[in-house]
Amino acid sequence: MRIIRSIDIPSGSSLACLYREHKIEYPKFFKMDTLCKLGFLATELLLEGDSDRFVPREDRAVLMFSRNGCLANDINYEKTMGDYPSPSLFVYTLPNIITGEIAIRNKYKGETSAFLLEEYDEERIRSIVEEAFQDTVTTSAIVGWIDCRSESDWTCKAFLVEK
Amino acid sequence: MEDLIKELKLSIIEALNLEGMTPDDIDDNAPLFGDEGLGLDSIDVLELLILLEKNYGIRLASPKEGQKVFQSIAVIAQYVTENRTK
């Protein structure tokens, strides 16, 4: 297994500015919660310029790891529950939506999984990614430690990894 | 009507998290759903239903009625003018 590329989005960066700077056209981005925005942008930056972008494929997995999952969005959603619970916040109250957003954008039809760990654990992440490569289909993966603590506080590291 | 249209656009931008958009980016008569116009989806319909009830006291009777009302900003504005209770 080897890391082909990596990307780090510093905590507190303006994600909207990053989106515009890279001339990305995907209006749904603005509806995502911060966790999904981070996963989406990290993947966009990792794959920027690849000639085979958006060709449907089954051989690339999306494996995301974090400590807090979608907790930041859950808190925002909870605030709306006393009045009119927000449907658009509700749809992001699952920690694995991030993998779905990335797979939909990039037309990936392979494995997608989200894992919650007590803390960043490189060995454990490596072991899970290696396990994903044990099937007969997966040859590469988008892997991320994307831990969103609030809309302006996160750790976001993502990697393009090959078998 | 012009004020209501602007108010609706601002509310929709906020409710649907259409970040980076301004009222001028939304054509009064463009379709709200599908690939043209705003490209809204089924979750957005739910947000729009809430918006009408919360801001204007309008409770739509059925999703079918929603399909008619949410055709464009201009159609929503007309419906709000005729049916608002607040």
Side-chain angles (χ1 to χ4, degrees):
Chain A
M1 188 174 87
R2 63 194 179 112
I3 294 173
I4 305 299
R5 269 171 252 157
S6 65
I7 189 86
D8 191 331
I9 299 180
S11 184
S13 309
S14 168
L15 301 182
C17 287
L18 209 50
Y19 173 91
R20 290 192 190 93
E21 274 168 24
H22 289 266
K23 301 186 172 27
I24 301 164
E25 288 186 19
Y26 197 69
K28 201 184 169 204
F29 167 80
F30 291 105
K31 296 182 188 180
M32 296 176 191
D33 71 331
T34 307
L35 178 68
C36 290
K37 280 180 180 167
L38 287 166
F40 174 88
L41 278 176
T43 308
E44 290 296 303
L45 303 186
L46 271 180
L47 304 177
E48 200 170 37
D50 278 7
S51 57
D52 58 351
R53 288 286 310 266
F54 312 124
V55 177
R57 58 192 295 176
E58 293 182 17
D59 62 336
R60 178 166 288 165
V62 181
L63 306 169
M64 289 290 144
F65 300 82
S66 73
R67 180 171 189 272
N68 286 285
C70 58
L71 183 61
N73 179 69
D74 293 349
I75 291 168
N76 283 338
Y77 175 66
E78 188 187 25
K79 286 176 190 161
T80 70
M81 288 175 74
D83 187 13
Y84 292 87
S86 165
S88 57
L89 291 179
F90 176 73
V91 294
Y92 288 103
T93 56
L94 284 172
N96 61 332
I97 301 296
I98 183 173
T99 63
E101 291 285 11
I102 293 167
I104 290 166
R105 163 66 163 170
N106 294 285
K107 299 187 169 56
Y108 295 158
K109 299 173 189 293
E111 175 174 346
T112 62
S113 298
F115 300 86
L116 300 184
L117 305 180
E118 285 288 339
E119 58 190 353
Y120 180 72
D121 182 341
E122 196 173 319
E123 278 308 301
R124 190 144 181 224
I125 292 172
R126 178 178 288 272
S127 143
I128 292 170
V129 175
E130 278 172 351
E131 204 170 299
F133 286 137
Q134 297 306 308
D135 65 20
T136 55
V137 181
T138 309
T139 59
S140 67
I142 304 290
V143 178
W145 170 260
I146 302 182
D147 190 42
C148 180
R149 295 173 289 274
S150 75
E151 286 170 15
S152 58
D153 180 24
W154 61 73
T155 307
C156 176
K157 301 172 182 182
F159 308 88
L160 174 61
V161 178
E162 280 185 358
K163 194 170 182 176
Chain B
M1 183 67 92
E2 208 170 292
D3 286 347
L4 176 61
I5 284 178
K6 191 170 180 189
E7 181 182 293
L8 276 168
K9 287 179 179 176
L10 286 168
S11 305
I12 288 172
I13 287 169
E14 191 190 345
L16 306 187
N17 297 317
L18 302 175
E19 205 172 309
M21 285 197 97
T22 68
D24 292 340
D25 296 327
I26 305 174
D27 188 311
D28 296 359
N29 298 298
L32 297 181
F33 297 91
D35 293 335
E36 296 172 56
L38 287 187
L40 304 186
D41 59 24
S42 56
I43 299 296
D44 297 323
V45 173
L46 299 175
E47 290 287 354
L48 291 177
L49 289 171
I50 290 172
L51 189 151
L52 286 195
E53 184 171 347
K54 200 158 77 171
N55 294 1
Y56 306 106
I58 295 172
R59 197 162 193 173
L60 295 182
S62 67
K64 206 170 181 184
E65 199 176 354
Q67 276 179 8
K68 277 194 297 181
V69 176
F70 299 142
Q71 282 179 51
S72 68
I73 295 289
V75 175
I76 298 175
Q78 187 61 41
Y79 188 85
V80 168
T81 304
E82 290 166 2
N83 295 279
R84 67 189 302 171
T85 59
K86 63 180 182 182

